[in-house]
Amino acid sequence: MITDFRRYEFKYILTLPQADALRAELAAHMDIDPYSGPKGYWINSLYYDSPDLEFFWAKIDGLRFRRKLRLRRYESADPALPLPESARTVAVEIKQRVEQIVEKRRVFLNTRQAAQLCQGASVPAMDRQGQAVANEIVHLVQDKQLAPTCWVRYHRHALVGRAENPDLRITFDTELSSGIGRLDPEQPLPDMDYFLPPDRCILEVKVTNTMPLWVQHILQRHQCQLQRISKYCTSIAQQKNIAVLERDLPPAC
């Protein structure tokens, strides 16, 4: 699995009928992500932040350089199709944005090691690149006094580009929920609340360079409107009753 990359990400909020129609059309030009399968998969992310929510406010304030730390684990949506072994480990990831470019650096560990790393304890990684990321995470946790802040959970369908668009990835995220209880990666998830209505989907188009024109045309045809939304920030604003975000959602179906 890729541990270090840079790309552009474009987000849209859709109704479920919009998402279904768009995914059907895109599927004619793209392939199903081998990790996704026909039924998709679940993503559970535990976000870390400083005592004064520095990462949250950096996004709200629109800082050109901002970052966040999260621990992420994956779950198959189809019991008959378990995830590959490489996807059963836990990813600890630094995600940062520099201007319009999203950068990610991550290391894959077992759950116990991932929890220790996010507490600021050094752990052995599988290779030199992973160890460099692990060391960076330890420094970040200790420097910012990071602690677990919020779980975010959603179901994902993913499509990947074919030979002519190898860097293209498009994801459809639904059942978007969050919780702030039991913030321990070794324990079951807490009770979760929707932070977007269940009839909404977040679409993300991810490319290394320019979005292909044919993708732009399909998005325009389906009346997709670019949105600036952070799953983490929307969750925190709701869970902690911080009135800073305005949601410009499509009308309910």
Side-chain angles (χ1 to χ4, degrees):
M1 299 179 74
I2 298 174
T3 59
D4 192 342
F5 56 84
R6 295 160 51 98
R7 67 190 180 194
Y8 295 93
E9 295 183 354
F10 305 93
K11 296 182 181 180
Y12 308 81
I13 300 177
L14 310 178
T15 64
L16 292 186
Q18 271 184 301
D20 290 341
L22 182 61
R23 187 155 61 97
E25 184 167 353
L26 288 170
H29 306 276
M30 303 178 68
D31 296 322
I32 297 175
D33 185 317
Y35 288 104
S36 180
K39 293 188 177 181
Y41 57 98
W42 290 93
I43 295 178
N44 304 307
S45 297
L46 180 58
Y47 286 84
Y48 289 72
D49 212 331
S50 65
D52 60 354
L53 299 179
E54 177 180 333
F55 298 161
F56 170 82
W57 287 110
K59 164 65 176 175
I60 300 305
D61 293 339
L63 299 188
R64 293 183 175 182
F65 173 81
R66 55 185 184 267
R67 58 188 168 179
K68 51 197 168 193
L69 176 69
R70 65 190 180 195
L71 179 154
R72 171 169 285 189
R73 63 191 191 206
Y74 302 88
E75 212 182 295
S76 176
D78 185 354
L81 187 66
L83 292 174
E85 186 65 35
S86 58
R88 297 180 202 168
T89 53
V90 176
V92 181
E93 177 178 273
I94 296 173
K95 181 178 181 180
Q96 67 185 39
R97 180 180 289 271
V98 184
E99 299 289 350
Q100 299 301 314
I101 298 175
V102 174
E103 301 177 346
K104 289 185 182 180
R105 297 181 296 283
R106 57 192 179 188
V107 60
F108 293 91
L109 304 164
N110 63 44
T111 303
R112 175 61 59 85
Q113 289 176 320
Q116 292 173 341
L117 181 62
C118 290
Q119 292 169 358
S122 297
V123 299
M126 295 177 60
D127 53 38
R128 182 179 298 177
Q129 184 180 31
Q131 194 63 59
V133 175
N135 294 343
E136 182 181 3
I137 290 168
V138 169
H139 174 76
L140 186 62
V141 170
Q142 295 178 349
D143 182 55
K144 302 291 185 182
Q145 297 182 308
L146 300 184
T149 307
C150 180
W151 277 107
V152 173
R153 174 178 169 83
Y154 49 90
H155 180 264
R156 169 167 287 180
H157 282 284
L159 300 173
V160 293
R162 293 174 180 167
E164 61 273 20
N165 301 116
D167 67 328
L168 175 63
R169 178 176 171 82
I170 298 181
T171 58
F172 296 80
D173 297 336
T174 55
E175 300 291 323
L176 295 130
S177 61
S178 65
I180 57 174
R182 286 205 301 269
L183 299 175
D184 183 342
E186 297 187 80
Q187 298 297 321
L189 290 178
D191 294 334
M192 309 288 276
D193 300 307
Y194 286 117
F195 63 86
L196 284 185
D199 62 353
R200 296 295 187 269
C201 170
I202 294 181
L203 165 72
E204 295 187 34
V205 180
K206 309 171 187 189
V207 289
T208 303
N209 296 300
T210 305
M211 188 189 306
L213 277 175
W214 63 268
V215 175
Q216 296 181 43
H217 292 158
I218 291 176
L219 294 177
Q220 291 169 0
R221 190 160 57 250
H222 288 265
Q223 301 181 330
C224 298
Q225 299 292 322
L226 198 61
Q227 303 277 342
R228 298 183 63 182
I229 182 170
S230 161
K231 297 183 181 82
Y232 168 62
C233 290
T234 306
S235 298
I236 286 293
Q238 175 179 287
Q239 293 286 348
K240 296 184 178 293
N241 295 314
I242 303 175
V244 294
L245 299 180
E246 292 183 4
R247 299 176 186 165
D248 182 15
L249 300 179
C253 301

